[in-house]
Amino acid sequence: MNENAFQFAWFQQSAAGFDPLPLAQSLWRDDQMHGVAVSGLLARALEQAVGEAGRTGLVPARYHVDLFRPARMITTTASARIVREGTRLVLLDAVVEQEGVVVARAGATFLAPSANAPGEVWAAPAERPVPPPADLLPAPSEHHVPIFASTAGWSDNFGDHQNAGRHQTWQTAIPIVAGEECTPFQAVASIADATSMVTNWGARGVEHINTDIDLALCRLPDSTRLGLRAADHLAADGIAVGTAEVFDGSGSLGTATVTSLANTRRTVDLSGGVEPRGAV
């Protein structure tokens, strides 16, 4: 593996834990890690704990992350434990720590799939999102800059999408740890942090910083290529709630929600087409 390929991940594993690579750097501050990397590391720890318990085939139906301290660009550790295990579910907690201090935590419920119930239930009649046209995308095995659509059509030119239109994105997940394959759960858990980019990105840039991530899934993604489309955005007194629909090449599979605080003193202005760190 060449050096550039080795750096194409959020973290490099070391004897002390996980060392953040340059791609993990946040746009908010140079010494801060973005939530995509933190969430991916938590998901990796949760998935490993489920695997070590021998519970293969479960669906990570609920995943919640609290981002209550800025994660710095320093060596990081992650661990997970099973809180409750039954025949149809496994409930877990996970934490990310830096220098012995917890900076983020996650809870997850993995459920055993079965058959759908036969009765009819109301579902939203809205048109479901679909991936960008194939001619705009690289080969499935290639990583790419996140692609967005808004009042402007699908493109990787961020300046085109600084507007008040309905945003959506399509991304190929970056490996969490260098030298490891990214799993579908790790992919959707990390990309879920981009819910802020489709729900909080408006005409003046990204003016909110998310404090958590909520992800609810009815199935695993069909690959590590995923999309988010804004479903709603509500705000009052500096607190915003943004919800996005999660979709892949097979259709919609869940929702992602972020709760955010207004952060206008450090607005992320992408009007000049600046590429966010961590988006490659």
Side-chain angles (χ1 to χ4, degrees):
M1 180 181 296
N2 63 48
E3 184 178 351
N4 289 336
F6 191 71
Q7 297 290 310
F8 198 77
W10 302 132
F11 298 93
Q12 177 179 333
Q13 192 162 14
S14 66
F18 301 94
D19 299 324
L21 294 170
L23 289 178
Q25 188 179 25
S26 169
L27 251 189
W28 297 108
R29 289 179 50 168
D30 290 345
D31 63 347
Q32 185 174 324
M33 206 186 305
H34 54 64
V36 179
V38 174
S39 182
L41 197 60
L42 285 163
R44 178 183 180 275
L46 290 163
E47 196 168 50
Q48 285 192 337
V50 171
E52 289 168 0
R55 300 302 301 271
T56 58
L58 300 182
V59 174
R62 182 189 64 82
Y63 174 68
H64 173 81
V65 177
D66 289 311
L67 302 165
F68 52 86
R69 281 193 177 95
R72 293 178 291 151
M73 293 288 288
I74 61 174
T75 300
T76 304
T77 61
S79 61
R81 66 182 183 91
I82 293 177
V83 177
R84 169 80 166 85
E85 183 175 2
T87 56
R88 301 186 68 185
L89 68 81
V90 176
L91 179 66
L92 306 97
D93 286 340
V95 293
V96 160
E97 297 180 77
Q98 294 185 327
E99 297 181 336
V101 176
V102 176
V103 298
R105 66 184 180 186
T109 303
F110 284 68
L111 301 179
S114 57
N116 284 346
E120 287 189 35
V121 179
W122 180 89
E127 177 187 357
R128 297 297 183 187
V130 296
D135 60 357
L136 294 180
L137 299 174
S141 60
E142 296 180 19
H143 291 278
H144 59 87
V145 174
I147 298 173
F148 286 90
S150 56
T151 54
W154 287 105
S155 78
D156 59 9
N157 185 331
F158 293 93
D160 289 347
H161 303 295
Q162 184 137 308
N163 54 60
R166 185 183 194 180
H167 284 70
Q168 54 185 320
T169 186
W170 183 258
Q171 303 187 21
T172 296
I174 290 174
I176 309 304
V177 177
E180 295 183 1
E181 291 289 332
C182 188
T183 68
F185 175 50
Q186 292 170 19
V188 71
S190 57
I191 290 174
D193 183 70
T195 300
S196 187
M197 286 293 292
V198 298
T199 62
N200 289 325
W201 191 4
R204 296 183 57 168
V206 182
E207 298 181 284
H208 296 78
I209 185 167
N210 55 306
T211 61
D212 63 13
I213 306 165
D214 272 298
L215 181 64
L217 302 174
C218 63
R219 61 172 173 83
L220 276 168
D222 61 12
S223 73
T224 59
R225 306 179 91 191
L226 291 153
L228 298 167
R229 184 177 71 170
D232 204 358
H233 181 271
L234 302 168
D237 302 321
I239 299 172
V241 177
T243 303
E245 190 169 354
V246 184
F247 63 102
D248 59 15
S250 301
S252 296
L253 62 146
T255 59
T257 301
V258 293
T259 307
S260 307
L261 293 169
N263 201 36
T264 54
R265 289 181 299 175
R266 287 185 177 169
T267 297
V268 177
D269 184 354
L270 299 170
S271 59
V274 177
E275 182 179 313
R277 298 184 186 113
V280 295

